[in-house]
């Protein structure tokens, strides 16, 4: 992955789009996710109130201390469904609600119980989760940014040059491992990228001239554009393109003629579902916002479609 594309992805994923990072052990997947809060804008007063109320119900607030930093939750892959979605005697909020307006990082994604992963599907669609117990039924908000990471196979080295798997053919080994992620969940992921292993020569290179502050400023500017757009449409409860309903996308994400032709051809070639089609439009709209462009061009759509190419490879391998 080129440095420019890496910087671009870093900005896109801070607009609440869902991302899957695949790479060999030690490639820096967990480090990238952990650095994400440093370029996120601080919580607005209304967001701070919502986050604080959830944390209070869950007993997460200590000594009445509040923070304006967005939540970052990283449950272990052995976490149960109740730990993720909420539960217990008093139906307390789980990790996905504690990640509201923040980041939920799932490392070693295929190692999670498949039923636990599938429990994310509804919250990713409507931004809330219902917790039902014998004496309680509570609906908690769960508008979170999902960042997932995984190795390409169980041993983790399938993408490395010259690697020969002792378990089976590489295609079969990677397919069996990646098939633990269901198709419906994969269809909801906006950005799929491969992160190559970092060599010793890479570590010697000088640090980038651009820091987190500069990236955070561009992210904040793109978010301001989006919130102003939806406020003008009378949708003050929507803040980002990732939250926009499909009916609104038809208006705000209209492409030029070249882009429309590309999207039509890609929909047939990649066999995009209706959900995938709208997710491509959301990502393309975010790319245009990062460029401060009024409309979506063929270039924006081509970049948005490129982030789904890995998903097609995974499904064919499985």
């Amino acid at each position: 992955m080129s440095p420019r594309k890496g910087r671009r992805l870093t900005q896109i994923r801070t607009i609440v789009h869902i991302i899957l990072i695949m790479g060999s052990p030690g490639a820096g997947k967990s480090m990238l996710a952990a650095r994400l809060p440093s370029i996120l804008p601080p919580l607005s007063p209304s967001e701070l109130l919502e986050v604080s109320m959830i944390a209070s119900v869950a007993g997460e607030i200590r000594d009445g201390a509040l923070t304006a930093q967005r939540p970052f939750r990283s449950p272990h892959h052995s976490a149960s469904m109740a730990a993720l979605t909420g539960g217990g005697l008093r139906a307390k909020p789980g990790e996905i609600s504690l990640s509201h307006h923040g980041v939920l990082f799932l490392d070693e994604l295929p190692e999670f119980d498949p039923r636990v992963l599938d429990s994310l599907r509804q919250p990713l669609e409507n931004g809330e989760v219902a917790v039902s117990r014998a004496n309680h039924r509570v609906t908690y908000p769960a508008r979170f940014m999902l960042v997932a990471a995984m190795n390409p196979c169980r041993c983790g080295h399938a993408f490395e040059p010259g690697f020969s798997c002792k378990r089976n053919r590489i295609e079969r080994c990677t397919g069996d491992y990646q098939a633990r992620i269901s198709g419906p969940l994969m269809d909801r992921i906006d950005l799929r990228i491969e992160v190559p292993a970092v060599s010793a020569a890479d570590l010697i290179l000088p640090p980038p001239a651009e820091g987190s502050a500069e990236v955070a400023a561009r992210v904040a500017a793109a978010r301001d554009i989006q919130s102003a757009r939806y406020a003008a449409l009378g949708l003050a409860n929507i803040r980002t393109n990732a939250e926009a309903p499909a009916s609104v996308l038809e208006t705000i994400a209209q492409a030029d003629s070249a882009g429309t032709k590309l999207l039509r051809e890609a929909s047939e070639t990649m066999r995009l579902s209706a959900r995938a089609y709208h997710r491509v439009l959301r990502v393309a709209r975010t790319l245009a916002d990062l460029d401060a462009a009024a409309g979506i061009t063929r270039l924006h759509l081509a970049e948005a479609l490129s982030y789904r190419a890995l998903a097609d490879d995974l499904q064919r391998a499985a």
Side-chain angles (χ1 to χ4, degrees):
M1 183 175 60
S2 67
R4 179 188 179 279
K5 194 169 185 179
R7 291 193 297 270
R8 185 77 152 181
L9 278 164
T10 301
Q11 297 169 51
I12 299 169
R13 66 183 183 182
T14 56
I15 318 291
V16 202
H17 294 295
I18 306 167
I19 185 170
L20 171 63
I21 309 172
M22 180 183 293
S24 302
K29 304 184 296 295
S30 300
M31 184 191 68
L32 286 172
R35 301 299 185 273
L36 187 56
S38 67
I39 59 174
L40 288 172
L43 293 167
S44 67
S46 61
E47 291 174 336
L48 177 60
L49 179 60
E50 292 179 22
V51 170
S52 301
M53 290 174 65
I54 296 172
S56 178
V57 172
E60 294 278 326
I61 294 181
R62 298 290 183 268
D63 302 324
L66 303 178
T67 176
Q69 187 176 22
R70 294 183 181 272
F72 181 87
R73 309 288 298 191
S74 180
H76 191 261
H77 59 73
S78 62
S80 65
M81 186 181 300
L84 209 64
T85 62
L89 294 178
R90 298 183 179 276
K92 288 186 176 181
E95 292 290 341
I96 62 176
S97 293
L98 291 168
S99 304
H100 184 56
H101 291 317
V103 178
L104 176 65
F105 176 52
L106 302 183
D107 198 7
E108 305 294 346
L109 186 67
E111 299 298 332
F112 281 81
D113 188 307
R115 294 172 299 177
V116 173
L117 292 181
D118 284 340
S119 68
L120 296 172
R121 287 157 53 179
Q122 182 180 359
L124 287 174
E125 288 292 326
N126 57 25
E128 59 183 25
V129 58
V131 182
S132 299
R133 291 297 180 264
N135 300 321
H136 297 275
R137 189 183 189 283
V138 185
T139 299
Y140 292 114
R143 184 67 67 182
F144 57 93
M145 182 193 315
L146 176 62
V147 179
M150 62 179 288
N151 297 327
C153 61
R154 186 169 295 279
C155 62
H157 301 284
F159 289 170
E160 296 181 8
F163 174 74
S164 179
C165 182
K166 297 179 180 180
R167 297 170 56 89
N168 210 322
R169 291 186 302 110
I170 290 181
E171 295 80 4
R172 180 65 180 274
C173 183
T174 56
D176 290 346
Y177 188 65
Q178 294 161 8
R180 294 174 61 90
I181 306 172
S182 68
L185 178 59
M186 183 64 71
D187 198 41
R188 287 168 166 82
I189 298 177
D190 301 311
L191 312 169
R192 293 90 176 217
I193 62 168
E194 180 186 340
V195 178
V198 179
S199 66
D202 295 326
L203 299 177
I204 301 174
L205 294 174
E210 186 178 58
S212 297
E214 291 80 7
V215 177
R218 288 201 301 274
V219 170
R223 286 205 174 202
D224 290 342
I225 290 173
Q226 295 177 20
S227 60
R229 172 188 300 127
Y230 297 115
L233 294 173
L235 302 171
N237 59 318
I238 297 178
R239 302 180 180 89
T240 64
N241 295 327
E243 304 173 66
S247 58
V248 177
L249 285 174
E250 303 295 336
T251 302
I252 66 170
Q254 291 183 352
D256 56 18
S257 58
T260 301
K261 181 181 178 181
L262 173 64
L263 186 57
R264 184 182 299 112
E265 294 172 352
S267 297
E268 297 176 357
T269 303
M270 301 174 67
R271 298 180 181 179
L272 297 179
S273 66
R275 178 186 294 113
Y277 170 82
H278 287 115
R279 288 191 175 276
V280 168
L281 287 181
R282 287 188 176 94
V283 175
R285 180 65 264 179
T286 295
L287 290 168
D289 291 338
L290 287 168
D291 290 339
I296 295 176
T297 66
R298 178 186 175 91
L299 183 61
H300 296 132
L301 283 167
E303 187 172 352
L305 287 165
S306 72
Y307 296 135
R308 297 195 69 89
L310 178 60
D312 293 340
D313 294 340
L314 298 186
Q315 291 174 357
R316 283 195 293 268

